[in-house]
Amino acid sequence: MEERLRKQRPDVWFLTEFVEPWLPVRDIGNLRRVNQRSQQSPLPAELPVTDRTRHRRLRDQGSLARTDLEAILDAGFVCHLGVVVEGHPMVVPTVYGHDGTDLFLHGSVASRSLAADPDAAVCVTVTHVDGLILARSVFEHGVNYRSAMIHGVPRQVTDPEEKLRGLRLLTEHAAPGQWDYARRPSRKELAATTLLALSLAEASVKTAIGPPDDGAGPDAELGIWAGNLPLRTTWGAPEADPLLPAGIDPPPHIAGREAAPL
Ligand SMILES: Cc1ncc(COP(=O)(O)O)c(CN)c1O
């Protein structure tokens, strides 16, 4: 395999030297992203309450369980990176991966949001909308959701081995099985990619679930329908690139996701 790669792609074969299977290759039967993590996070099981993570309102919706944070991270792959660039706030949607200890974010070396002041704090959020809470009164309307906010100063990953490991986590988080299927980054592509690691030490978690709050109040007598309108996100059928030659089918780790929930 290595010999073939060395001949076909002299620019990437070297990666096989250090692209070790740190993480077990997952099969389509088990998409739980948590399986990527070979060990338990060394971070405390209880999230710390800091000035940045303390909930001000609806405190019962908060959770201090690190397992809840991980479940929210496992359930999505797009986050919003909030960062101040040259005095201006920017909130950038971007994909992520994580290993229970760090969140990994990547982008072009030309990306301003990833090249901000190395000492500057950022805030990353991940949000899943689970439904709309329709109450009798407009005031009591709301959203059922699961969300996480992570605070910290990210670290630029420069060590090529760690960079590859982070990119693998990120790729496998969005598309389990794809790291071993697609061509891996070349030395040049790696150099063109910025990878940030943000510690998962300081984070807050909030979730809302259930019916509206005004079922037992005076508005209950209005005769207005109230309840939860659930929202579900599922994968569709793979759509082949129009430039794809005939005879190349989507691999099972892609085709098998059709109709599966996010
Ligand atoms: C994860 C998370 N952390 C913090 C907050 C802020 O909460 P509060 O307004 O109670 O401080 C929110 C708001 N929805 C949140 O979703």
Side-chain angles (χ1 to χ4, degrees), residues 52-59 61 145 147-149 204-206:
R52 292 192 290 204
T53 64
R54 184 178 299 107
H55 299 306
R56 267 70 182 181
R57 318 162 304 114
L58 303 170
R59 291 208 178 128
Q61 294 184 358
Y145 70 95
S147 74
M149 286 174 82
S204 77
V205 167
K206 244 176 146 174

Side-chain angles (χ1 to χ4, degrees), residues 235-240 255 258-259:
W235 294 99
E239 295 166 0
E258 186 179 343

Side-chain angles (χ1 to χ4, degrees), residues 28-101:
I28 190 69
N30 192 349
L31 283 178
R32 289 238 0 120
R33 297 181 173 104
V34 75
N35 289 349
Q36 281 187 67
R37 297 195 287 281
S38 47
Q39 65 210 31
Q40 281 252 295
S41 164
L43 295 171
E46 186 166 307
L47 298 168
V49 179
T50 67
D51 272 352
R52 292 192 290 204
T53 64
R54 184 178 299 107
H55 299 306
R56 267 70 182 181
R57 318 162 304 114
L58 303 170
R59 291 208 178 128
D60 56 316
Q61 294 184 358
S63 165
L64 293 181
R66 181 163 295 282
T67 47
D68 287 343
L69 169 68
E70 292 183 354
I72 288 168
L73 297 179
D74 289 343
F77 62 95
V78 174
C79 63
H80 286 83
L81 165 67
V83 59
V84 176
V85 180
E86 290 160 14
H88 298 283
M90 286 174 78
V91 179
V92 188
T94 184
V95 299
Y96 66 88
H98 79 103
D99 61 2
T101 306

Side-chain angles (χ1 to χ4, degrees), residues 157-203:
V157 178
T158 50
D159 173 61
E161 213 165 304
E162 197 191 355
K163 210 167 173 183
L164 271 172
R165 178 178 169 273
L167 291 172
R168 176 181 176 143
L169 278 161
L170 215 137
T171 308
E172 287 287 296
H173 189 72
Q178 195 67 359
W179 185 262
D180 285 324
Y181 181 72
R183 178 181 67 72
R184 292 180 191 168
S186 67
R187 202 188 288 263
K188 203 170 150 201
E189 288 164 344
L190 266 193
T193 307
T194 296
L195 183 74
L196 296 184
L198 175 64
S199 168
L200 293 172
E202 190 181 348

